[in-house]
Amino acid sequence: MEPLARHFWDGCAAGELRLRRCTSCDTWQTFPREFCTACGSTSLQWRRAAGTGTVHAATLVTRAPSDAFRPLVPYAILLVDLDEGVRMMAHGMPGLAIGQRVAVTFLAHEGRHLPRFVAL
Ligand SMILES: [Zn+2]
C-alpha cells in the first residue's frame, strides 16, 4: 500500500479520520496530496480531523460493484464537506440527505475500516 494511503487507513483503524494539513498556511488538504493546494508548500503534516461535516451529495448503491461490497447493499455513497474545508467521498447510512450534518464512524469490512458517515 502506498505510504499516503497507509497513513489514512491506519487512522481509520484507530478510529480517527486523518488528513494532511499544510504547516505553512494551515490549509487542510484533499486526500491524498503531496503538496498544499493553497500555497504549494510540500510541508504537510497528518492531523486528526473532527470527522464532522455536511452532506454535499448522496447516492444510494443498490447493486454492489464487487462481491466484497455485496453484503453492505444498500448503502449510500456521499460527498461530505468536512468542517475543515475538505470534500471527501465515503460510505454513508441510507437516507442521508443533502445539507444534513453528519459524523464519521468506521465500519470494519474486508480487513479495512471504511469511513461511514451517520446523521448527527
Ligand atoms: Zn499551504
Side-chain angles (χ1 to χ4, degrees):
M1 197 183 297
E2 63 175 302
L4 277 179
R6 182 171 46 78
H7 283 287
F8 178 80
W9 290 112
D10 283 352
C12 292
E16 296 182 358
L17 185 61
R18 292 179 186 165
L19 301 174
R20 300 187 98 195
R21 187 174 173 181
C22 178
T23 61
S24 299
C25 74
D26 289 337
T27 301
W28 292 85
Q29 306 299 309
T30 301
F31 167 86
R33 294 285 175 189
E34 295 285 0
F35 59 88
C36 176
T37 54
C39 77
S41 169
T42 55
S43 180
L44 303 177
Q45 207 172 50
W46 285 95
R47 300 280 297 275
R48 182 179 184 169
T52 49
T54 304
V55 176
H56 173 79
T59 188
L60 189 66
V61 176
T62 55
R63 185 172 174 159
S66 67
D67 288 343
F69 287 100
R70 194 155 292 131
L72 302 181
V73 169
Y75 60 88
I77 291 292
L78 308 175
L79 288 177
V80 175
D81 288 336
L82 297 174
D83 292 341
E84 287 80 6
V86 173
R87 180 171 292 166
M88 73 176 284
M89 183 180 288
H91 283 239
M93 297 301 288
L96 294 172
I98 292 170
Q100 195 162 359
R101 293 284 297 162
V102 290
V104 74
T105 62
F106 297 94
L107 170 70
H109 180 70
E110 299 276 323
R112 282 193 181 179
H113 290 74
L114 303 175
R116 182 171 64 172
F117 284 87
V118 299
L120 254 185

